[in-house]
Amino acid sequence: MKTAILSTEIIQKLQAIVSPTFLFLDEETRKAYGHDETEDYVFPPSVVLKPGSVEEISEIMKVAFQYEIPVTPIGGRTGLSGGALSIHGGIGLSMDRFNKILHIDEQNLQVTVEPGVVTQTLQEAVLEKSLFYPPDPSSRGSCFIGGNVAENAGGARAVKYGVTKDYVLNLEVVLPNGDIIWTGANTLKNSTGYNLTQLLVGSEGTLGIITKIVMKLLPKNNHNILMLVPFFNASQACEAVAKIFKAGITPSALEFMERDAIDWTLRFVDGVSLTIKDEVQAHLLIEVDGNYPDVLFSEAEKITEVLEQFDIDEILFADSEDQKNALWKLRRAVGEAVKANSIYKEEDTVVPRYELPKLLEGIKSIGNKYGFKSVCYGHAGDGNLHVNIVKGEMSDEDWTTEIPKGIRKIFELTVALKGTLSGEHGIGYVQKNYMDIAFSTTQLLLMKGIKTVFDPKNIMNPGKVLPDNL
Amino acid sequence: MKTAILSTEIIQKLQAIVSPTFLFLDEETRKAYGHDETEDYVFPPSVVLKPGSVEEISEIMKVAFQYEIPVTPIGGRTGLSGGALSIHGGIGLSMDRFNKILHIDEQNLQVTVEPGVVTQTLQEAVLEKSLFYPPDPSSRGSCFIGGNVAENAGGARAVKYGVTKDYVLNLEVVLPNGDIIWTGANTLKNSTGYNLTQLLVGSEGTLGIITKIVMKLLPKNNHNILMLVPFFNASQACEAVAKIFKAGITPSALEFMERDAIDWTLRFVDGVSLTIKDEVQAHLLIEVDGNYPDVLFSEAEKITEVLEQFDIDEILFADSEDQKNALWKLRRAVGEAVKANSIYKEEDTVVPRYELPKLLEGIKSIGNKYGFKSVCYGHAGDGNLHVNIVKGEMSDEDWTTEIPKGIRKIFELTVALKGTLSGEHGIGYVQKNYMDIAFSTTQLLLMKGIKTVFDPKNIMNPGKVLPDNL
């Protein structure tokens, strides 16, 4: 597929659909909608559209289908795999105006929401009704719920509450040819035909455009306990993770941060301070939640008993809401802090949680071989480790030639440990050519076949997810 | 597709793969593998094979692919939608010999299991390691876990713990052309390509043959409270369901039984007795579970407070394990009891739970119009109501002509209430020609397209799920 050049005739047709107010050809807007949080990539679309209704999107897709114009759905632009980059130009379809929470259904514990609602806004709106939307990506203050669905986002609470996919019941989707469908029903159970809903979740905008989302909610929890645990040995911190579950406890968060991650972040964020002994190599941030304080104390005690088998410094129990917020602010800012520190590449490795120590040690050893430093942190309770490969003092040449080899080794290790390439960031643009490590050609051709069923002209976010040479 | 007649040459090839011991041509075996629990249908395969390894299945599929022979995977034959019926003859592929629990991974809280393991056997094996596999279909004593995955089975605990799909992490699958793939990875989170795992779950044996299943497990719970609540008004029982959740409680089971269901079952099962006032129209069976008895008492109390707003008789709290088992035995036997009572058809309607009273009232009113009696029961907490339409004294002609019209009306009502055709039984053979009620041609053609990607020759359990006239 060549990069699209849109004729005046096409632009006029698009303008007639969204009105001139919501069609942007200026460089500034195109550039702004040409990047997300993925490294320093910028791929501006040829035109940015901000449609205001599903009918407008349907009309846009009919034009795109007729003229075979690439269309890239664009959400909050916080993605880490380049899913929202218009790598072939064409139409950048911003979902900014789909920003309404349509219905909080207190009788059925469900919410119907447009994809352009910021995740934190959704969380807070349902909390006002004593309801709980658990998925909690670190970017929740700016990411869109539609992007969360498209990438199957996770976050810190996934360990107890699951990821975005576990909350999506039904989706309204505009197909590449302009047809509008619902994928399922607003029910907690569904054995009615193939699961189109779960096929769309995590499909990274390559099968259709999500325009409405029906999600299930939980009753809110009233209490939690948060503790920060300093480990003198990073591998032991990873080992402790599986032991906590083995003891019968399911924390509502179980986060791992290497020493550098926490140090860099302490320098990066305002208003958070911690005294950490020099010998500390890593921290676990552990939360339990529920409605009964006594139960939480008992669970925290059991966790402490497990932790005391390891070589740890004194555990910090957050003693106020402010301190809890400060610790979460610290954890959520790690990604940005690393980014501010150096050119970097972020991998989103995931393995069965017991394999975490092997993964961490393997990554360090691969780093030694290929000459890169890495800063690791992430959702250890899920076995989900974010590996930030930092350029630091590395030469541009080594960065270009050696790093892809090293990343390939990391993914090979991940897959050998029964894990896979991405736990919650998606494959998008930056990981697609590593897909052969996780999947055989047979599997990839099934995926390509599915893509072709939905998108026979390959106009829907082309150049994502599937490898180039397939 | 015509019914297959297998030549001597093909039979010899199949015999060479599985050995003569595991190839059956006799009428008795073919009949035995030609039915499940769906009404009184019998569709014997032309030949029954009992392969012993994934390699054998791969070889069988290569032969089937070459000669375009229909292949129907057969599990525990407890299905209620006819998914295991060889409606076009051909190969009936029994999974009886895939009966091993391969690995209970106590470090990662996972189990790798073959599809022919009986669900209860799996539950008990993991419980011995203090682990918990929650999905709990009423047929758990004889259904296969592979069938549970194929139909996305639910059961009583789904209301708190989710259905089979929520536990499946990864599947080994033999494709119609004989290729062997894994669908995902053994991880709790996965954003790596399209979700082939969830596409296979609930695909009812129409996309491939599941040969290994990796599932997540939970730490076991140690305590529960079970209560049986008699309602003087059946609609009020349905109303109470949503109110319990609204009060912030998530019971581990919330089951509804109409008066006839419980009466017929009391006559059907041995060793369970209950005294029920004449005026009682329905019961709710409610369970809460957890590790802290005090919490459960508190939750049971809150539930009681909700229930007291309704017109109920005295609540029975099960005071021993024996009594709990007796109540569950009663609940689990309802389906069989109805079946023993009359020729019947069972629908597996599901709606958002608050809509249950409307669904129940609508079903009764449709029954009045089309002249049928129905007995309703099911997983009310999920909004999943099993509707047993009993023939009773109805004439054969009315049964044949009027019932399909009545069923169509029931499904139309279900869909109008934002629900769908099947919550946990699947579409299979008996509901496929109602699929147009839940889905437009656009949606159905997407499903058919997916089917064709996996199964270009339409040999994999043909004549199921998708409507005949598509």
Side-chain angles (χ1 to χ4, degrees):
Chain A
M1 176 172 286
K2 295 255 173 59
T3 296
I5 298 168
L6 304 190
S7 67
T8 312
E9 182 199 354
I10 293 172
I11 292 293
Q12 281 169 349
K13 285 192 178 192
L14 295 172
Q15 218 163 37
I17 297 168
V18 295
S19 90
T21 315
F22 296 111
L23 182 147
F24 304 87
L25 288 163
D26 63 291
E27 196 175 335
E28 194 185 351
T29 308
R30 291 192 302 108
K31 272 198 176 158
Y33 285 83
H35 70 84
D36 55 13
E37 291 292 326
T38 311
E39 302 171 32
D40 50 3
Y41 289 110
V42 184
F43 288 98
S46 320
V47 58
V48 175
L49 303 182
K50 298 191 180 183
S53 70
V54 61
E55 292 76 18
E56 285 182 15
I57 293 184
S58 170
E59 292 305 312
I60 291 166
M61 290 315 302
K62 284 177 193 164
V63 172
F65 192 76
Q66 183 186 348
Y67 295 97
E68 304 197 12
I69 307 162
V71 178
T72 302
I74 301 173
R77 290 169 284 159
T78 58
L80 293 165
S81 57
L85 305 177
S86 296
I87 61 170
H88 292 289
I91 295 168
L93 197 78
S94 161
M95 302 306 285
D96 286 359
R97 293 172 67 206
F98 280 72
N99 58 0
K100 284 178 284 303
I101 297 172
L102 298 171
H103 179 44
I104 299 175
D105 179 350
E106 295 180 72
Q107 301 297 351
N108 288 305
L109 277 60
Q110 295 181 4
V111 61
T112 303
V113 61
E114 290 185 331
V117 171
V118 169
T119 304
Q120 190 173 353
T121 306
L122 175 66
Q123 288 174 331
E124 290 170 358
V126 304
L127 195 62
E128 273 183 29
K129 314 268 185 189
S130 296
L131 296 170
F132 180 31
Y133 176 69
D136 193 40
S138 293
S139 56
R140 65 175 188 154
S142 49
C143 63
F144 286 4
I145 189 69
N148 290 183
V149 174
E151 302 296 329
N152 192 15
R157 295 203 191 101
V159 61
K160 178 170 176 182
Y161 293 103
V163 294
T164 307
K165 85 166 167 43
D166 300 306
Y167 293 84
V168 180
L169 301 179
N170 201 0
L171 295 169
E172 184 188 68
V173 174
V174 180
L175 298 175
N177 68 1
D179 284 349
I180 302 167
I181 64 163
W182 280 93
T183 56
N186 296 6
T187 55
L188 295 171
K189 305 162 88 173
N190 194 339
S191 290
T192 311
Y194 302 142
N195 197 336
L196 299 182
T197 305
Q198 291 301 331
L199 192 57
L200 265 293
V201 174
S203 66
E204 308 195 40
T206 65
L207 301 181
I209 295 156
I210 295 164
T211 47
K212 281 194 195 80
I213 306 161
V214 181
M215 309 187 103
K216 75 167 182 182
L217 302 170
L218 300 179
K220 76 159 176 166
N221 286 316
N222 293 310
H223 301 282
N224 60 61
I225 294 176
L226 184 65
M227 54 182 113
L228 184 70
V229 192
F231 281 78
F232 293 115
N233 179 301
S235 284
Q236 283 197 5
C238 290
E239 275 172 48
V241 171
K243 284 264 166 72
I244 289 168
F245 289 90
K246 195 75 198 306
I249 310 286
T250 305
S252 50
L254 213 177
E255 300 284 306
F256 170 85
M257 289 174 281
E258 264 197 305
R259 179 65 191 249
D260 279 340
I262 211 160
D263 281 350
W264 294 8
T265 313
L266 281 169
R267 287 199 294 272
F268 179 77
V269 295
D270 292 330
V272 185
S273 67
L274 272 180
T275 311
I276 307 172
K277 283 196 190 141
D278 285 351
E279 300 80 8
V280 167
Q281 285 190 359
H283 286 80
L284 292 182
L285 182 67
I286 307 174
E287 187 193 76
V288 287
D289 74 352
N291 280 317
Y292 299 89
D294 288 352
V295 168
L296 299 187
F297 290 130
S298 156
E299 291 190 336
E301 204 175 295
K302 280 190 201 164
I303 291 172
T304 308
E305 280 165 28
V306 172
L307 295 170
E308 280 167 356
Q309 301 164 28
F310 296 93
D311 195 16
I312 60 170
D313 199 12
E314 201 174 338
I315 300 173
L316 169 70
F317 285 87
D319 57 9
S320 65
E321 279 307 301
D322 280 353
Q323 199 170 16
K324 284 176 189 173
N325 289 336
L327 288 176
W328 276 119
K329 184 177 174 184
L330 189 71
R331 166 61 191 88
R332 289 205 178 95
V334 174
E336 284 176 81
V338 172
K339 186 164 187 157
N341 204 287
S342 164
I343 292 175
Y344 79 112
K345 283 182 184 289
E346 178 166 0
E347 311 310 325
D348 176 38
T349 57
V350 60
V351 293
R353 70 170 83 93
Y354 185 68
E355 308 296 350
L356 266 183
K358 279 182 227 162
L359 178 63
L360 184 68
E361 285 163 21
I363 288 164
K364 297 300 170 186
S365 137
I366 292 164
N368 285 340
K369 185 165 171 197
Y370 290 88
F372 64 79
K373 178 178 165 65
S374 63
V375 182
C376 297
Y377 65 97
H379 314 299
D382 302 315
N384 186 196
L385 195 70
H386 300 320
V387 183
N388 282 262
I389 299 170
V390 294
K391 183 159 181 287
E393 305 300 307
M394 211 172 183
S395 74
D396 288 354
E397 196 192 328
D398 281 356
W399 182 250
T400 314
T401 59
E402 292 305 296
I403 292 303
K405 294 182 206 163
I407 292 174
R408 187 159 273 274
K409 289 290 172 199
I410 290 173
F411 284 146
E412 284 170 1
L413 171 65
T414 309
V415 171
L417 295 171
K418 307 274 185 196
T420 192
L421 311 186
S422 174
E424 56 175 26
H425 292 171
I427 295 303
Y429 173 63
V430 292
Q431 315 297 11
K432 63 179 173 173
N433 288 322
Y434 299 107
M435 282 284 272
D436 63 292
I437 300 168
F439 295 111
S440 67
T441 305
T442 302
Q443 291 153 307
L444 292 172
L445 287 176
L446 287 176
M447 291 187 197
K448 191 176 184 177
I450 292 166
K451 165 79 170 159
T452 305
V453 168
F454 281 77
D455 183 22
K457 295 187 176 180
N458 193 27
I459 59 170
M460 205 59 250
N461 205 1
K464 306 290 171 67
V465 183
L466 297 170
D468 290 327
N469 61 1
L470 187 65
Chain B
M1 175 172 288
K2 295 255 174 59
T3 297
I5 296 168
L6 303 191
S7 68
T8 313
E9 183 199 352
I10 293 172
I11 292 293
Q12 281 169 350
K13 286 192 178 193
L14 294 173
Q15 217 163 38
I17 296 168
V18 295
S19 89
T21 316
F22 295 112
L23 182 147
F24 305 86
L25 288 163
D26 63 289
E27 197 176 332
E28 195 185 348
T29 308
R30 292 193 300 109
K31 272 197 175 159
Y33 284 84
H35 69 84
D36 56 12
E37 292 290 327
T38 312
E39 304 172 29
D40 49 4
Y41 288 111
V42 185
F43 288 98
S46 320
V47 59
V48 174
L49 302 182
K50 297 191 179 183
S53 71
V54 61
E55 292 77 18
E56 285 182 14
I57 293 183
S58 170
E59 292 304 312
I60 292 165
M61 291 315 301
K62 283 176 192 164
V63 173
F65 193 76
Q66 183 186 348
Y67 294 98
E68 304 198 13
I69 306 162
V71 178
T72 303
I74 301 173
R77 289 169 284 160
T78 59
L80 293 166
S81 57
L85 304 177
S86 295
I87 61 169
H88 292 289
I91 296 169
L93 198 79
S94 161
M95 302 305 285
D96 286 359
R97 293 172 67 207
F98 280 72
N99 58 1
K100 284 179 283 302
I101 297 172
L102 298 171
H103 180 43
I104 300 174
D105 179 350
E106 295 180 72
Q107 301 297 350
N108 288 305
L109 277 61
Q110 295 182 3
V111 61
T112 304
V113 61
E114 291 185 331
V117 172
V118 169
T119 305
Q120 189 172 354
T121 306
L122 175 66
Q123 289 174 331
E124 289 171 357
V126 305
L127 196 62
E128 274 183 29
K129 313 270 185 189
S130 296
L131 296 170
F132 180 32
Y133 176 68
D136 194 41
S138 292
S139 57
R140 65 176 188 154
S142 48
C143 63
F144 285 3
I145 189 68
N148 290 182
V149 174
E151 301 296 330
N152 191 16
R157 295 203 192 101
V159 61
K160 177 170 177 181
Y161 292 104
V163 295
T164 306
K165 86 167 167 41
D166 300 306
Y167 293 84
V168 180
L169 301 178
N170 201 0
L171 295 169
E172 185 188 68
V173 174
V174 180
L175 297 175
N177 68 359
D179 284 350
I180 302 167
I181 64 164
W182 280 93
T183 55
N186 296 5
T187 55
L188 295 171
K189 303 161 89 171
N190 193 340
S191 290
T192 312
Y194 302 142
N195 197 337
L196 298 182
T197 304
Q198 292 301 332
L199 191 56
L200 264 293
V201 175
S203 66
E204 309 196 39
T206 65
L207 301 180
I209 296 157
I210 295 164
T211 48
K212 282 194 196 80
I213 306 160
V214 181
M215 309 187 104
K216 76 167 180 181
L217 302 169
L218 300 179
K220 74 160 178 168
N221 285 316
N222 293 309
H223 301 283
N224 60 62
I225 293 176
L226 185 65
M227 54 182 110
L228 185 70
V229 191
F231 280 77
F232 293 114
N233 179 300
S235 283
Q236 283 198 4
C238 290
E239 275 173 48
V241 170
K243 284 262 166 74
I244 290 169
F245 288 90
K246 195 76 197 307
I249 310 288
T250 304
S252 50
L254 213 178
E255 300 284 306
F256 170 85
M257 289 174 282
E258 265 197 305
R259 179 66 192 248
D260 279 340
I262 210 160
D263 280 350
W264 294 8
T265 313
L266 281 169
R267 287 199 293 271
F268 179 76
V269 295
D270 292 329
V272 185
S273 66
L274 273 179
T275 310
I276 307 172
K277 282 195 189 143
D278 285 351
E279 299 80 9
V280 167
Q281 282 190 0
H283 286 80
L284 291 182
L285 181 67
I286 307 174
E287 187 194 74
V288 288
D289 74 352
N291 281 316
Y292 299 88
D294 287 354
V295 169
L296 299 187
F297 289 131
S298 157
E299 292 191 333
E301 204 174 296
K302 280 190 203 164
I303 290 172
T304 307
E305 280 166 26
V306 172
L307 294 170
E308 280 167 355
Q309 301 164 29
F310 297 93
D311 195 16
I312 61 170
D313 198 12
E314 200 174 339
I315 300 174
L316 169 71
F317 285 87
D319 56 9
S320 65
E321 280 307 303
D322 280 353
Q323 199 170 16
K324 285 175 188 173
N325 289 336
L327 288 176
W328 276 118
K329 183 176 173 185
L330 189 70
R331 167 61 192 87
R332 288 203 179 96
V334 174
E336 284 175 82
V338 173
K339 187 166 186 155
N341 205 287
S342 165
I343 292 175
Y344 79 113
K345 283 181 183 289
E346 179 165 359
E347 311 311 325
D348 176 38
T349 57
V350 61
V351 293
R353 69 170 84 92
Y354 184 68
E355 309 296 350
L356 266 183
K358 280 181 228 162
L359 179 63
L360 184 69
E361 285 162 23
I363 287 165
K364 297 302 171 186
S365 137
I366 292 165
N368 285 340
K369 184 165 172 198
Y370 290 88
F372 64 80
K373 177 178 166 65
S374 64
V375 182
C376 297
Y377 66 97
H379 313 299
D382 302 314
N384 186 196
L385 195 71
H386 301 320
V387 183
N388 283 262
I389 298 169
V390 293
K391 183 159 181 285
E393 305 299 307
M394 211 174 184
S395 75
D396 287 354
E397 197 192 325
D398 280 356
W399 182 249
T400 314
T401 59
E402 291 305 297
I403 293 303
K405 295 183 207 162
I407 293 174
R408 187 159 273 273
K409 289 291 171 200
I410 290 173
F411 285 145
E412 284 170 1
L413 171 65
T414 309
V415 170
L417 295 171
K418 306 274 185 196
T420 191
L421 311 185
S422 173
E424 56 175 27
H425 293 172
I427 295 303
Y429 173 62
V430 292
Q431 315 296 11
K432 63 180 173 173
N433 288 322
Y434 300 106
M435 283 285 272
D436 64 291
I437 301 168
F439 296 111
S440 67
T441 305
T442 302
Q443 291 153 307
L444 292 172
L445 287 176
L446 286 176
M447 293 189 196
K448 190 176 184 177
I450 291 167
K451 164 78 170 161
T452 304
V453 167
F454 281 77
D455 182 22
K457 295 186 176 179
N458 193 27
I459 59 170
M460 206 60 248
N461 205 0
K464 306 291 171 64
V465 183
L466 297 170
D468 289 327
N469 60 1
L470 187 64

